[in-house]
């Protein structure tokens, strides 16, 4: 889910890259195990309005937060 999509999307739409935090849960580990098969990412609110569907065009990567450029972590909760 993404609150305030209009403001946050300006950080990733221009370069086509997105960082998504993954928690250490069973469901998240299933995502990591199948990351090569992810074809779409959907940003949405709790309602059917304001949904934004993106097709994944490249390979997905899993990186630790300390491997990311600091500018990607601005405004993130850790």
């Amino acid at each position: 889910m993404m609150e305030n999509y209009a403001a946050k999307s300006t950080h990733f739409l221009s370069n086509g890259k997105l960082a998504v935090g993954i928690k250490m849960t069973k469901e998240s580990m299933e995502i990591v195990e199948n990351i090569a098969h992810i074809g779409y990412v959907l940003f949405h609110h709790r309602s059917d309005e304001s949904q934004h569907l993106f097709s994944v065009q490249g390979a997905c990567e899993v990186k630790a937060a300390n491997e990311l450029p600091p500018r990607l972590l601005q405004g993130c909760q850790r």
Side-chain angles (χ1 to χ4, degrees), residues 2-59:
M2 180 178 280
E3 302 295 333
N4 198 2
Y5 173 84
K8 292 180 180 176
S9 65
T10 61
H11 300 291
F12 65 84
L13 286 178
S14 61
N15 66 14
K17 293 186 179 183
L18 174 67
V20 177
I22 299 176
K23 296 181 180 181
M24 295 297 291
T25 64
K26 180 180 182 275
E27 292 82 10
S28 293
M29 294 306 101
E30 289 176 5
I31 291 170
V32 171
E33 290 171 6
N34 294 290
I35 200 158
H37 305 290
I38 294 175
Y40 296 91
V41 176
L42 175 66
F43 295 112
H44 63 92
H45 294 285
R46 296 183 196 279
S47 68
D48 290 338
E49 297 175 12
S50 299
Q51 294 185 356
H52 305 275
L53 182 65
F54 293 92
S55 174
V56 175
Q57 299 295 313

